[in-house]
């Protein structure tokens, strides 16, 4: 029996846009992602799947049913977000910007917000949506769930970001994270939500996977993410504004210090060298893709801005949320490093990687050791508490998921034994949902969703997770799953 510390949290994470819609009255047409996946040019060119989120799993209308199943599995924690476009579907009066101007990369040193201004914002909020979020959170709280309330999971109100105009090269309209106004608006939105829901949140996260927003949106057009405009310069501007937005929002929560702290959640891969001589490539990849961001919000170091330290950005983090799915294999190149196909998330679907490891429905390599690597490196560099906030696999048949669960939770246990302060493991996700540009084709749920009837069915992996939560560890009967799964039989 591999036991976890008392108080360790086992739960799930989910996204509002991906899970909420699917029942009458649950539609939210006011976000950039909603506009993006409905755009005819995107659908015809197969930038997006053509699946529509209003046909989704229906959490908005059926949340109690989801919570019932989570309780049956024995979960005690959830990370959930509030959709900005539901709370403020229409523009707020333009804020008074204390520093900087309404331009791409203006420095935003402070945001002045008091209760009087929050009450003014209250006049523009959608109180019906806010009341419904309160009902959802109260139901979770009454069941004893530890609630990590996340403020941002990729979607922006359309009045802040028109991705179709940006995709076409028109930067005269709302440009999202390319504009410093979004920094102000995010700080205001975060403060408002905390003002309204602070009695229900156990702790806060400002953002989930902000690196996907600036990376997939501007540097990796094949991902199909808005605005799908290839520009490394714009990617850096979006990153810079997101850093500022996190720092500004941190100071505006109504509690002087949230009960269990304030964190941010990051999309991580474990960088592995192709050969021993490629260790330098690993260091370069980690510095560019991970440490440059966290050094900014922990140490205040903004070297790309031509200065060493910005004091207003320092110490803006109490814990780090780690999302991990697979690794990335790199090799040294003149430009720094190269990512190699055939490993990590660059494999054929339901096949074998070049390392002879099985891959998922998404073509992501099965590599649990990478989670230990990521946790250990964060701990050694920053010494901050950690959560595994997302970890899961696209596996409709549930062939690999039981192995995936046990082997990755084992790697968390391994990190704990090394002295790493890991507070919880949250699976992605409780139920199947809308997988962004891939639509409904990728199934990550412990529960299978029938999208026509909205019924939820247990996959075998839900039973495996239930045994882990009941035992607060990996019981001996499940230890045989701590390995790479047998190769899935070929379909004939």
């Amino acid at each position: 029996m591999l036991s976890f510390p008392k108080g360790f949290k086992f739960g799930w994470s989910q996204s509002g846009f991906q899970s909420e819609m699917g029942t009458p009255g649950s539609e939210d047409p006011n976000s950039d992602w909603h506009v993006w996946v409905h755009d005819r040019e995107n659908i015809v060119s197969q930038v997006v799947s053509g699946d529509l989120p209003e046909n989704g799993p229906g959490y908005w209308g059926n949340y109690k049913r989801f919570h019932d199943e989570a309780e049956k599995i024995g979960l005690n924690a959830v990370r959930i977000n509030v959709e900005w476009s539901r709370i403020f579907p229409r523009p707020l009066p333009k804020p008074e910007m204390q520093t900087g101007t309404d331009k791409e990369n203006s420095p935003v040193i402070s945001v002045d917000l008091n209760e009087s201004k929050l009450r003014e914002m209250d006049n523009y909020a959608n109180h019906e949506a806010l009341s419904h979020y309160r009902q959802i959170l109260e139901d979770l709280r009454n069941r004893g769930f530890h609630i990590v309330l996340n403020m941002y999971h990729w979607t922006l109100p359309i009045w802040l970001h028109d991705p179709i105009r940006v995709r076409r090269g028109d930067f005269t309209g709302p440009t999202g994270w390319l504009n410093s106004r979004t920094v102000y608006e995010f700080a205001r939105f975060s403060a408002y939500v905390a003002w309204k829901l602070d009695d229900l949140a156990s702790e806060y996260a400002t953002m989930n996977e902000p690196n996907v927003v600036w990376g997939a949106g501007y540097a990796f057009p094949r991902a199909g993410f808005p605005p799908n405009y290839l520009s490394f310069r714009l990617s850096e501007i979006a990153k810079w504004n997101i850093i500022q937005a996190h720092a500004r929002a941190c100071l505006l929560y109504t509690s002087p210090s949230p009960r269990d702290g304030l964190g941010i959640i990051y999309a991580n891969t474990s960088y592995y060298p192709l050969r021993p001589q490629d260790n330098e490539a690993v260091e370069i990849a980690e510095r560019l893709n991970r440490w440059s961001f966290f050094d900014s919000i922990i140490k205040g170091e903004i070297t790309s801005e031509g200065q060493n330290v910005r004091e207003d950005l320092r110490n803006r983090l109490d814990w780090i949320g780690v999302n991990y799915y697979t690794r990335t294999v790199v090799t040294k190149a003149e430009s720094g490093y190269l990512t190699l196909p055939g490993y990590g998330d660059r494999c054929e679907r339901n096949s074998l990687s070049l390392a002879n490891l099985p891959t998922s429905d998404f073509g992501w390599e099965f590599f649990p050791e990478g989670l230990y690597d990521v946790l250990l490196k964060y701990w050694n560099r920053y010494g901050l508490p950690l959560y595994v906030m997302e970890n899961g696999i696209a596996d409709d048949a549930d062939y690999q998921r039981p192995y995936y669960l046990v082997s990755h939770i084992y790697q968390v246990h391994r990190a704990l034994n090394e002295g790493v302060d890991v507070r919880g493991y949250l699976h992605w996700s409780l139920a199947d949902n809308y997988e962004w540009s891939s639509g409904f084709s990728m199934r990550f749920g412990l529960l299978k969703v029938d999208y026509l009837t909205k019924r939820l069915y247990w996959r075998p992996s839900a039973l495996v997770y239930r045994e882990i939560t009941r035992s607060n560890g990996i019981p001996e009967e499940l230890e045989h799953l701590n390995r790479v799964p047998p190769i899935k039989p070929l379909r004939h």
Side-chain angles (χ1 to χ4, degrees):
M1 172 76 179
L2 299 176
S3 298
F4 280 75
K6 184 179 179 180
F8 189 86
K9 298 172 179 63
F10 286 106
W12 88 96
S13 287
Q14 72 179 45
S15 148
F17 181 79
Q18 293 177 266
S19 299
E20 288 175 354
M21 288 181 269
T23 55
S26 65
E27 298 81 11
D28 175 19
N30 299 305
S31 75
D32 56 351
W33 261 99
H34 192 277
V35 169
W36 184 254
V37 298
H38 283 78
D39 180 71
R40 186 170 179 271
E41 291 182 15
N42 283 340
I43 294 171
V44 170
S45 62
Q46 298 184 339
V47 170
V48 298
S49 66
D51 294 338
L52 301 178
E54 55 264 37
N55 301 318
Y59 178 79
W60 188 257
N62 296 327
Y63 63 88
K64 289 184 179 180
R65 191 184 309 167
F66 286 77
H67 299 172
D68 288 343
E69 302 305 323
E71 271 196 307
K72 292 176 187 175
I73 297 173
L75 308 183
N76 60 15
V78 58
R79 187 209 82 205
I80 189 170
N81 74 289
V82 174
E83 285 290 290
W84 192 344
S85 52
R86 286 193 188 274
I87 304 301
F88 292 107
R90 298 291 177 264
L92 288 159
K94 199 169 182 180
E96 297 177 6
M97 296 190 177
Q98 285 76 36
T99 57
T101 57
D102 193 11
K103 293 182 180 178
E104 288 180 344
N105 55 352
S106 304
V108 182
I109 307 300
S110 65
V111 176
D112 180 22
L113 199 63
N114 53 37
E115 187 160 341
S116 173
K117 292 181 179 179
L118 289 171
R119 292 189 184 282
E120 183 181 343
M121 291 176 65
D122 203 34
N123 296 324
Y124 297 87
N126 180 341
H127 287 271
E128 183 179 352
L130 188 65
S131 175
H132 196 75
Y133 276 122
R134 173 163 282 279
Q135 293 170 25
I136 291 172
L137 296 175
E138 283 178 343
D139 188 67
L140 287 166
R141 192 76 171 179
N142 291 339
R143 296 171 188 256
F145 282 96
H146 182 93
I147 302 169
V148 180
L149 186 57
N150 179 40
M151 297 298 175
Y152 175 68
H153 194 140
W154 298 1
T155 59
L156 290 172
I158 191 66
W159 52 270
L160 273 177
H161 184 213
D162 185 341
I164 307 304
R165 290 177 65 172
V166 176
R167 184 196 68 197
R168 294 171 178 166
D170 179 359
F171 296 94
T172 62
T175 57
W177 290 112
L178 301 182
N179 194 306
S180 60
R181 180 184 175 184
T182 306
V183 176
Y184 286 89
E185 295 291 3
F186 177 71
R188 295 207 296 174
F189 166 72
S190 298
Y192 178 82
V193 171
W195 181 56
K196 286 293 186 178
L197 301 175
D198 191 54
D199 58 311
L200 298 172
S202 305
E203 54 192 316
Y204 296 106
T206 53
M207 302 176 179
N208 179 74
E209 298 188 337
N211 49 324
V212 174
V213 175
W214 73 68
Y218 300 96
F220 189 61
R222 286 183 296 174
F225 281 38
N228 203 34
Y229 188 94
L230 180 59
S231 169
F232 296 127
R233 182 184 70 86
L234 295 183
S235 178
E236 283 298 312
I237 290 171
K239 177 182 178 181
W240 166 239
N241 280 328
I242 284 172
I243 287 170
Q244 296 191 104
H246 165 80
R248 298 290 72 82
C250 283
L251 300 179
L252 294 176
Y253 291 92
T254 53
S255 296
S257 177
R259 282 172 286 283
D260 289 304
L262 180 76
I264 197 167
I265 305 157
Y266 206 73
N268 295 277
T269 183
S270 176
Y271 293 98
Y272 266 70
L274 179 66
R275 306 156 300 178
Q277 56 266 42
D278 291 318
N279 284 327
E280 185 183 353
V282 170
E283 294 175 2
I284 294 170
E286 289 175 341
R287 184 177 72 250
L288 293 176
N289 298 304
R290 189 186 303 155
W291 308 138
S292 64
F293 178 81
F294 281 94
D295 283 355
S296 298
I297 60 176
I298 295 173
K299 302 177 181 180
E301 295 178 359
I302 310 290
T303 54
S304 63
E305 293 300 307
Q307 52 187 329
N308 293 323
V309 174
R310 258 186 61 176
E311 291 294 334
D312 64 291
L313 301 180
R314 290 184 65 182
N315 300 320
R316 299 293 181 248
L317 208 58
D318 297 312
W319 54 264
I320 296 170
V322 171
N323 293 356
Y324 173 83
Y325 292 90
T326 189
R327 68 170 173 171
T328 299
V329 174
V330 297
T331 188
K332 189 74 173 63
E334 286 186 11
S335 58
Y337 73 95
L338 288 175
T339 299
L340 298 179
Y343 304 92
D345 63 357
R346 301 186 64 186
C347 302
E348 295 294 325
R349 297 177 178 181
N350 294 315
S351 65
L352 291 175
S353 72
L354 292 180
N356 211 36
L357 296 171
T359 67
S360 70
D361 294 351
F362 230 146
W364 296 356
E365 187 182 34
F366 193 106
F367 199 80
E369 298 90 340
L371 178 55
Y372 167 81
D373 171 70
V374 171
L375 292 171
L376 196 66
K377 285 179 176 175
Y378 269 118
W379 178 250
N380 288 338
R381 189 175 182 95
Y382 299 117
L384 289 174
L386 301 164
Y387 280 98
V388 177
M389 278 290 178
E390 283 186 26
N391 178 242
I393 185 170
D395 181 18
D396 189 14
D398 209 50
Y399 184 81
Q400 295 186 45
R401 190 175 290 107
Y403 298 91
Y404 192 97
L405 261 172
V406 173
S407 62
H408 285 77
I409 291 173
Y410 168 78
Q411 295 298 329
V412 176
H413 187 271
R414 184 182 168 201
L416 283 163
N417 283 343
E418 292 286 334
V420 181
D421 184 4
V422 188
R423 303 284 176 87
Y425 172 92
L426 282 70
H427 184 73
W428 182 273
S429 181
L430 178 64
D432 295 333
N433 52 46
Y434 187 80
E435 188 52 38
W436 305 104
S437 59
S438 298
F440 299 120
S441 62
M442 296 298 144
R443 304 281 190 131
F444 280 86
L446 297 162
L447 306 176
K448 183 179 180 69
V449 175
D450 183 326
Y451 286 106
L452 291 178
T453 66
K454 311 306 176 188
R455 287 191 63 182
L456 304 174
Y457 297 92
W458 283 44
R459 289 190 168 100
S461 53
L463 298 168
V464 170
Y465 201 17
R466 185 178 68 181
E467 292 305 305
I468 291 171
T469 62
R470 284 178 171 179
S471 305
N472 194 38
I474 303 173
E476 291 182 8
E477 295 83 355
L478 296 182
E479 288 184 9
H480 70 100
L481 295 172
N482 181 25
R483 61 190 176 100
V484 175
I487 305 305
K488 185 185 296 186
L490 293 176
R491 297 174 181 172
H492 296 285

